[in-house]
Amino acid sequence: MSRGSGKGLSLKDKLDGNELDLSLCDLNEVPVRELAALPKATILDLSCNNLVSLPSDFCSLMHLVKLDLSKNRLQQLPLDFGRLINLQHLDLLNNRLVTLPVSFAQLKNLKWLDLKDNPLDPVLAKVAGDCLDEKQCKQAAVKVLQHMKAIQSEQDRQRQQKLQAEREMEKKREAEQRAKEAQERELRKREKAEEKERRRREYDAQKAAKQEMEKKTKKETVHTRKPASSSRPPQRPRHKLSWSRSVLRVLLFVMFCILCTLAACKLTELQHQPLCISVNTLYEDMVAALQNHKTLQNMLQHNSK
């Protein structure tokens, strides 16, 4: 294992039972992969090196029980440092730490903690106190865990409040959206009803205008026909006229037959037939009657004079 990278020297040479001593190795990086291959190394000493930070996969070394990171240049611990749940002893003496990650509260098995000689936040420094003996270091572990749990609870509470506020805001937005959609539906419904009412009024107006036009046309037609009908004499019904013409035709036909019979009885050899004799006798009687009637008329005219 080389001095800078931690590679080149076998870690097994540094392993003594369950303790792995990598102190004073001038390390700039932690050989996490090689450490993960040694799950028996529950005690790890990385003190007195040049570590500025720990890689995030360092927190996968969950088999660690005791960890010494003192006298390095660590400015912060990984955010998920609390994954090292089996850790009982932690030495962070003489680093450059200001705060601890909130996940630190998950180190429920932590019994010993040293945070001396770090530029800690005043509140955290007061909580941690001094670690001058075994008792103070144990008290520091308990108090820091309680402090970090309080911070975690407060952050969880704030997170819950934030989530609740976001949910309420989302509900409010949804309610506003539903109200807006309902208002838009009501507006469309009202516009549709108004459009229907407008079309109905137009239809009624067109129908009334059409009826008025029909009435006007009918009145003009009646006024136009009245003078023509008053100037013309009343015409007899066609059936009566047809009947009169038929009777007249029959009479004319009878007279024509009579004349033909008289002509035949007077001018032909049929005049000696009994029928013609009767016809001629009737004709002579009628002529005599007409002559007498004419004589009577003359007498009447003479008397009147």
Side-chain angles (χ1 to χ4, degrees), residues 8-27:
L9 181 63
S10 175
L11 296 183
K12 292 182 179 180
D13 298 336
K14 296 284 187 177
L15 182 62
D16 183 10
N18 64 341
E19 184 175 355
L20 181 61
D21 187 2
L22 297 179
S23 63
L24 300 171
C25 291
D26 199 23
L27 295 177

Side-chain angles (χ1 to χ4, degrees), residues 199-212:
R199 291 169 59 189
R200 188 187 65 79
R201 289 197 299 268
E202 289 180 355
Y203 173 79
D204 292 342
Q206 292 176 359
K207 187 176 180 181
K210 185 177 180 181
Q211 291 177 352
E212 186 67 23

Side-chain angles (χ1 to χ4, degrees), residues 29-177:
E29 297 178 359
V30 179
V32 177
R33 184 175 299 179
E34 289 81 357
L35 292 174
L38 299 173
K40 293 192 301 181
T42 58
I43 300 175
L44 178 61
D45 188 354
L46 291 170
S47 62
C48 301
N49 282 292
N50 298 318
L51 300 177
V52 177
S53 63
L54 298 177
S56 59
D57 57 350
F58 180 85
C59 301
S60 65
L61 304 177
M62 298 175 62
H63 59 277
L64 295 177
V65 175
K66 183 176 181 180
L67 178 61
D68 189 352
L69 292 169
S70 62
K71 297 180 181 180
N72 280 280
R73 293 183 294 170
L74 294 174
Q75 298 179 3
Q76 60 183 5
L77 297 178
L79 294 177
D80 55 349
F81 192 81
R83 290 177 59 192
L84 303 175
I85 55 175
N86 294 313
L87 199 60
Q88 298 179 12
H89 186 108
L90 179 59
D91 192 346
L92 294 171
L93 172 70
N94 194 12
N95 278 279
R96 299 178 182 178
L97 297 172
V98 177
T99 60
L100 297 175
V102 178
S103 65
F104 200 92
Q106 300 174 12
L107 301 177
K108 58 183 180 178
N109 293 315
L110 190 64
K111 304 293 188 297
W112 195 97
L113 176 63
D114 189 357
L115 288 172
K116 290 192 310 295
D117 299 330
N118 281 281
L120 295 175
D121 176 79
V123 176
L124 180 59
K126 183 178 180 180
V127 171
D130 295 327
C131 183
L132 301 177
D133 54 29
E134 188 74 11
K135 182 179 179 180
Q136 288 182 344
C137 292
K138 288 182 178 181
Q139 290 179 349
V142 173
K143 292 180 179 179
V144 169
L145 281 179
Q146 291 177 349
H147 176 69
M148 298 309 297
K149 286 180 180 179
I151 292 176
Q152 186 180 44
S153 299
E154 180 63 20
Q155 288 186 355
D156 291 342
R157 187 184 65 80
Q158 292 179 356
R159 190 181 301 109
Q160 289 296 328
Q161 288 181 347
K162 184 178 180 181
L163 290 175
Q164 184 66 24
E166 290 177 353
R167 292 194 194 100
E168 292 178 356
M169 184 63 67
E170 183 65 23
K171 289 181 180 179
K172 184 178 180 181
R173 284 196 296 265
E174 291 177 356
E176 291 176 353
Q177 182 66 24

